[in-house]
Amino acid sequence: MRLIENFIGGEYVAGQGGKTFEKRSPVDNRVIARITEAGQADVDAAVRAARAALEGEWGGLTLEQRVDLLYGVADEITRRFEDFVAAEMADTGQPSHVMRHVFIPRGAANFKVFADVVKNVPAESFQMATPDGRGALNYGIRVPKGVIGVISPWNAPFLLMTWKVGPALACGNTVVVKPSEESPHTAALLGEVMNSVGIPKGVYNVVQGFGPDSAGEFLTRHPGVDAITFTGETRTGAAIMKAASDGMRDVSFELGGKNAGIVFADADFDAAVDGIFRSAFLNTGQVCLGTERVYVERPIFERFVAALKTRAEAVKYGRPEDHAANYGPLISQEHKQKVMSYYRKAVEEGATLVTGGGEPAMPAELAEGAWVQPTIWTGLPETAAVVREEIFGPCCHIRPFDGEDEVVKLANATDYGLSTTIWTTNLARAHRVAARVEVGITWINSWFLRDLRTAFGGSKQSGIGREGGVHSLEFYTETRNICVKL
């Protein structure tokens, strides 16, 4: 059985407290690794290593040298592509085609994209008049923020971790990463890549463990951490924000969502069914941008529900290495119990169960895995728990609507504001509705189509700040103004 250790100062090290915990496969519930749990002393060591690198060799590199190293990281990830695919499949149990075509390539791309952004972003300058007539020149420079605490989630572990580490390092910071306890493999494996391409020791550090009274809390409360970036649920974000207030440290949060999908009667019907199917059930519904509320214009409502039911009932369960499989398990037994509790609650609240609602019959070797059925409901009021609360599972509630104003009000009637997807062939309507929906990102006639240069983040309780392209620089750097009297 594999032992996964912390990665501190360029070395893999056991936790000083001697604690370990199990990582179980979501596919069959077997123990597949033991993970070293970082304590306060380990987090201290990681932060010290990050600070030393910042003040040492890493901090002395030119921008061009940094960019070259990050390109090397991306190339080495690509060279070790199969290792990262295998590690991610082990943690998540998701089909290999998702890893091969989305999550791992995007993880590698995050290093090149942000290296290019930092290399090409201009600085601002202003000439100003002075009383003596000689003038002055103001110009801005960007400097690294310092040691960044990176708290990353389990649903797309490598992609979402590198989405933070890539721009942080491109801007000249150092990082201490705390991956989810459910997905330790790829963060640990990336340490080997960093060493292989010559990233100075201490630039990239990983502390494994849990949240409260473990590595996560120790990292977010550490006074040596200059800023914290977190992707995860809203309640955890609130706790981290309280910790970050001690020292007035910056935060960047991408939090929960209860995203709406809006389908107008004039939509390309087959494309809309395919798009909503993906947005509700990709990665077994464990996508922060996923669609759990679907609003369909009444003339096509019944037809749409029937078509989505057919698609949901045709999923192919299987191990991630099974190329015929297109649907995996949830991340863990604990998360399965959460999702199943909502499945039961929907019935208790009077939902019409269109399909799913339980556990699939799996062969004996997979029977102990975290498998649940893709599930569709109709007939619930907007006050129902499964319509209001983020489930983070493969499910959606579908409701008919009769007009543009009505559906905008329905879409906005939530505490969250992360994303939405709108399906219509009326371009004017698409623009009108997109401007009125209170979310950070709207897709028109598509979903999960991401240009990494664009702003990404949530409104309301779905997050604080924006990342992506030059927007990431606002978080990962400090801008200083220099005024020169001429």
Side-chain angles (χ1 to χ4, degrees), residues 87-126:
E88 197 91 329
M89 289 194 305
D91 276 344
T92 67
Q94 293 302 312
S96 64
H97 70 86
V98 177
M99 303 301 138
R100 294 178 182 280
H101 298 295
V102 183
F103 291 172
I104 303 306
R106 268 282 307 277
N110 283 333
F111 288 97
K112 287 189 176 180
V113 167
F114 287 107
D116 286 340
V117 168
V118 172
K119 181 173 63 176
N120 294 304
V121 69
E124 65 179 17
S125 64
F126 300 95

Side-chain angles (χ1 to χ4, degrees), residues 81 84-86 88-89 92-107 154-159 277-278 281-287 316 318-329 447-448:
F81 187 78
F84 280 93
V85 168
E88 197 91 329
M89 289 194 305
T92 67
Q94 293 302 312
S96 64
H97 70 86
V98 177
M99 303 301 138
R100 294 178 182 280
H101 298 295
V102 183
F103 291 172
I104 303 306
R106 268 282 307 277
W154 47 255
N155 56 313
F158 188 60
L159 185 160
F277 172 79
R278 288 184 64 242
F281 303 122
L282 179 72
N283 209 37
T284 321
Q286 301 166 124
V287 180
K316 168 67 174 173
R319 291 184 177 276
E321 61 271 18
D322 178 358
H323 294 296
N326 64 1
Y327 185 86
W447 177 76
F448 211 31

Side-chain angles (χ1 to χ4, degrees), residues 217-283:
E217 181 176 348
F218 301 146
L219 181 60
T220 57
R221 291 189 177 279
H222 200 290
V225 172
D226 298 297
I228 302 164
T229 176
F230 167 73
T231 297
E233 68 171 2
T234 299
R235 285 176 298 179
T236 304
I240 293 173
M241 194 169 184
K242 289 178 182 178
S245 67
D246 187 5
M248 302 297 289
R249 294 169 296 158
D250 282 351
V251 295
S252 178
F253 289 162
E254 193 242 294
L255 305 176
K258 191 69 177 178
N259 309 305
I262 300 171
V263 183
F264 287 94
D266 68 348
D268 180 325
F269 185 84
D270 291 337
V273 171
D274 182 65
I276 295 296
F277 172 79
R278 288 184 64 242
S279 68
F281 303 122
L282 179 72
N283 209 37

Side-chain angles (χ1 to χ4, degrees), residues 168-229:
L169 299 192
C171 291
N173 302 282
T174 57
V175 297
V176 180
V177 176
K178 206 297 283 185
S180 169
E181 63 274 14
E182 298 291 356
S183 52
H185 278 88
T186 46
L189 182 58
L190 187 58
E192 295 182 12
V193 169
M194 296 289 178
N195 283 348
S196 177
V197 302
I199 297 290
K201 295 182 184 301
V203 170
Y204 175 81
N205 305 273
V206 181
V207 289
Q208 304 280 0
F210 304 90
D213 197 33
S214 187
E217 181 176 348
F218 301 146
L219 181 60
T220 57
R221 291 189 177 279
H222 200 290
V225 172
D226 298 297
I228 302 164
T229 176

Side-chain angles (χ1 to χ4, degrees), residues 258 342 345 349 380-391:
K258 191 69 177 178
Y342 277 102
K345 189 174 293 186
E349 292 183 322
L380 286 172
E382 295 297 292
T383 55
V386 298
V387 181
R388 290 186 296 105
E389 300 171 14
E390 183 181 37
I391 301 170

Side-chain angles (χ1 to χ4, degrees), residues 315 317 327-328 336 340 357-363 366-367 369-374:
V315 298
Y317 303 90
Y327 185 86
K336 175 182 174 180
M340 290 301 299
E359 303 177 36
M362 302 298 292
L366 302 180
W371 302 93
V372 299
Q373 293 175 319

